[in-house]
Every structure is written in structure tokens, then in C-alpha cells.
Amino acid sequence: MRHDDAPPRGDAPPLTQAPQGDAPPAVRPTSTPDDIGRMSAYCTYCPKMCRFSCPASAAESRETVTPWGMMRLLELTRDQSVALSPEVAETFYHCTGCRRCQAFCRHDNDVPRALWLAREQAAEAGMVPPALGPLRESFAAHSRPYAGAVGWRPDPEVFDPESTVGFWPDCDTLQSNAGLIDRLGRLLERLLGQKVRLIGTGPDHLPVCCGFPLGATGDRPALDHHLQDRWPSLEGLTELYTDCPALRAWAEPGSSWPELSHGDPQRLKPTHLVEVLAEAIAKNPPAQKINLSEVMVHHSCMMTRQAALSAASLKVLRALGGTEPVAMMFDGVESECCGGQAVYRALEPEAANRQAARVADQLHQHPTATRQVSTAATCACALAEARDDLDITSLLELVCEAYAL
Ligand code: SF4
Ligand code: SF4
């Protein structure tokens, strides 16, 4: 595929449909077809400036799944030079949403935003990749992306169902490190001076997912159903905390994702735990400092480039160690994506694992750092699965360790 083989622009088909009926949609698109057309045209004539930055490109070594390749294909389907087929549609799902390409794009192109809408068009045409079937079935049955049984149950001594302060845990924390939910509940009680209410009780009496991975499949009706019927009531809450960067990013106007429609006025904008910890740790410091010279930090792409929480994460680290983190290899803008996003892992499990191992290897090359700390549960889980011989943990696990929780 060459840069100069662009077909003449035709009337592009709409990428989104107007909501049906009188009820407000659960999700509002934040980009118009014109925005997408502008972005895909920029990519078409670009000398692939961001190619090196993409985790899918690195893991799969295929031109088709570079940011340029995916956006070029989107442009061709918009021009109707290429018909949307299951094979074409599948290509749009190879973006993890990390937004790293945007950090190197002179046009500030938001590739995941464009591809999210391309997936909605694919899903409307019944072309969600079959590899995502188990993830969708798990959402239908459990309201989470993972079907695996979770043996953990919340400690009734930790949470107060009557509290007006809510805590909605990340479903990757639930799946990979469920005991941390109790510890975070205790941490919040210590720092806030009151117990919190555990939010998101699903069909199996466990917290549900906010729906981000389901939205990333492009299946808008399924996401709407999840938001309208499976989202827990947040009635009576005055504050809502979460350790899920995706849930926080839903409410971040600058993120790539379509906004949730808060038709229910009781629904609150969530605060990520690092935002509250950044202030609370300084006022109520742990007895034990963390030795930051041992720590190599991996900034999660969802925490930095979608939820804009890299500064808060660094503030937490500084408060825990009392110093600057000396072993910081990647900053919050250019940090590499580990490939751990649920849809990409479902679609390309081996490539996702290769990418996680590659990022873990890079983090491990520091001369003094022996611990890897990721700012999100999703990444800590993916990195640890790929390199179980390394000491890899999450930032919130580190906080609980400092407080001996
Ligand atoms: S996202 Fe930006 S840098 Fe990357 S291919 Fe498109 S125009 Fe070029
Ligand atoms: S957002 Fe990340 S995964 Fe998606 S195209 Fe850009 S660099 Fe690749």
C-alpha cells in the first residue's frame, strides 16, 4: 500500500447512527464523521511518524496493524474503495487504545477514538471478531470480561453498605488480586476516617465491570444494556472512588472514549484512588518509607494518556518514599503500552504476551531497580503473567505495603 494511491474521496458512510426513540443514549459519541475523515486523511499522507510507538506493530511485526495501516484501511472503507468485510473489520481491533502514537503525531491524531467508531460500524454490520465471543459472553453472564470463577468474597468488617462514600474496584484487581480490594477498603477507612461502601454488586454478588472492554468491542447495544441494566445504583453516594483507570477515563473529557450519558443524576464522576492518595498520604504518612531506589515504574497508558493521572501517581510515589523516584525509566507521556488491554489480549493473546514480556524486560534493565511497579492493575497483571520470574506489582499494592495493610 503506497501513500500516493489514495482514491478520490467520496461521500463517506456515517460511522455512527442517531439514537433511536425518545430515551437519551447511554453513550454519546464525542467525534463526528468529519473528525474521523480528517484524522484518517492525515494518516494516509503521513510517512508513518508514529510507527515505532505502537505496541501492536511491535508485537505483531505487520504493516497492517501499524497506526498508519489501521487508519489507512479506515480511510479506504470510508471512501468505499474497500468493502467492509470480517477480515477488514478485524484489523480495527488491533489498537489497544494506548494513545502512544498521539504523543509522536504532529497532527495530534486520536487514533483510538477513530477506531472505536470504526468498530461500532463493524459491530452494526455483525462483524465483531469471533475471538471476542468469550469476552462478550462473559459480560452477558457475569457483567465482567472474564468468565473465571472468583473465590474471594468481600470482608463484611471492611465495608459499610450504608456509607455515602463508594469504592468501585477495577475488575482486573478482582480477577488477579481480589484480596487487595479488602486492603484498599481498610486503607480508605484509615485515610478518610470512615468505612466505604463496596460498589458494583453483580449477578454473582461480586463487583461488576464499568463496561469499558465491552465498549471496545464496538457493540453499542450491549454496552447500553450493561450501562442501563447492569450498572449498580450510585444513589445516596456523595463521593465515588475507584482504582479503575478506564472508569475514571470515561469521565475525563480529554480521553479517547465516548462520554457516558449520566441520565441518572445520582451517578457521580469517579475519583481515582491515586487522586485522593496524592493528598491524603502527606497528611497521614505511613510509618515505613518505600525504598524508591529499588523501584522501576511503569506508567500505564490508561492512567497517563487517557485518565491524565501520571502527575498524581508520581505524587503518591514521592509521598511513599520521601524522595524522587530515582529509577524512573519512562515518563508519563512516552511510556510504553504492555498490550494488556482486555480486547487486545482476547484477540491476540500471544502477541499481547510478547509485548508485555518486552516491556518487562526493558523495565528490568536498570542497574539497581529490582521491583517493577505499574500504576494500573491491568498492566501489573499482564507484566507479571509474561515474566513471573520478576518482582512485579501495582502502585496500590505498594501503598498498602507501606501502611502494613
Ligand atoms: S497518527 Fe499521526 S504520526 Fe501516526 S500515522 Fe497518523 S498522522 Fe502519522
Ligand atoms: S493508540 Fe496505541 S495501539 Fe492504538 S494505534 Fe496508537 S500506538 Fe497503536
Side-chain angles (χ1 to χ4, degrees), residues 133-358:
L135 182 147
R136 301 169 77 197
E137 287 160 16
S138 181
F139 261 100
H142 307 289
S143 297
R144 287 189 296 277
Y146 311 110
V150 179
W152 171 85
R153 290 294 178 272
D155 183 342
E157 299 297 315
V158 173
F159 300 102
D160 175 4
E162 304 301 320
S163 176
T164 59
V165 180
F167 171 45
W168 189 337
D170 188 322
C171 54
D172 275 319
T173 304
L174 177 66
Q175 185 67 23
S176 65
N177 190 7
L180 183 61
I181 295 173
D182 288 331
R183 295 163 71 198
L184 292 173
R186 291 191 192 96
L187 176 69
L188 281 168
E189 181 180 2
R190 172 165 176 169
L191 297 178
L192 302 175
Q194 65 179 107
K195 288 186 193 294
V196 296
R197 185 197 308 178
L198 188 63
I199 300 299
T201 302
D204 53 7
H205 306 291
L206 290 171
V208 299
C209 176
C210 68
F212 170 75
L214 191 58
T217 69
D219 188 343
R220 175 77 70 99
L223 177 61
D224 285 352
H225 172 72
H226 180 78
L227 297 176
Q228 288 166 354
D229 296 345
R230 295 293 184 89
W231 256 47
S233 169
L234 305 180
E235 197 170 345
L237 292 183
T238 56
E239 293 159 84
L240 174 62
Y241 296 105
T242 185
D243 63 331
C244 174
L247 175 58
R248 176 64 181 79
W250 279 118
E252 178 63 40
S255 83
S256 301
W257 320 125
E259 293 175 38
L260 296 185
S261 174
H262 293 262
D264 175 358
Q266 298 296 333
R267 288 179 179 168
L268 300 175
K269 178 180 174 179
T271 300
H272 195 280
L273 285 182
V274 299
E275 295 174 276
V276 67
L277 291 170
E279 305 302 327
I281 292 177
K283 293 177 190 156
N284 187 349
Q288 183 186 336
K289 295 272 186 216
I290 294 292
N291 181 358
L292 292 181
S293 68
E294 295 177 350
V295 170
M296 177 66 79
V297 178
H298 170 254
H299 278 289
S300 142
C301 45
M302 191 70 81
M303 285 287 282
T304 57
R305 292 186 288 267
Q306 297 292 359
L309 293 172
S310 59
S313 303
L314 281 176
K315 199 167 175 183
V316 169
L317 275 164
R318 289 185 187 115
L320 288 180
T323 60
E324 283 296 305
V326 295
M328 182 79 69
M329 181 182 279
F330 300 116
D331 67 19
V333 175
E334 298 184 7
S335 59
E336 282 214 64
C337 171
C338 69
Q341 192 259 336
V343 163
Y344 188 65
R345 280 169 75 84
L347 194 70
E348 290 287 346
E350 291 178 10
N353 203 50
R354 273 198 302 280
Q355 176 65 5
R358 198 175 69 79

Side-chain angles (χ1 to χ4, degrees), residues 3 38-51 53 66-69 71-72 101-102 104-111:
H3 279 170
R38 178 179 47 78
M39 287 196 272
S40 61
Y42 276 139
C43 290
T44 292
Y45 297 104
C46 174
K48 310 174 188 174
M49 300 292 285
C50 63
R51 179 183 179 179
S53 67
T66 61
W68 178 86
M71 292 293 277
R72 175 70 177 126
C101 50
Q102 192 178 31
F104 302 96
C105 176
R106 63 184 298 177
H107 302 295
D108 202 32
N109 263 4
D110 190 341
V111 171

Side-chain angles (χ1 to χ4, degrees), residues 53-56 67 70 94-101 111-112 115:
S53 67
C54 179
M70 291 186 275
H94 285 250
C95 170
T96 67
C98 75
R99 227 179 183 181
R100 191 168 186 238
C101 50
V111 171
L115 292 176

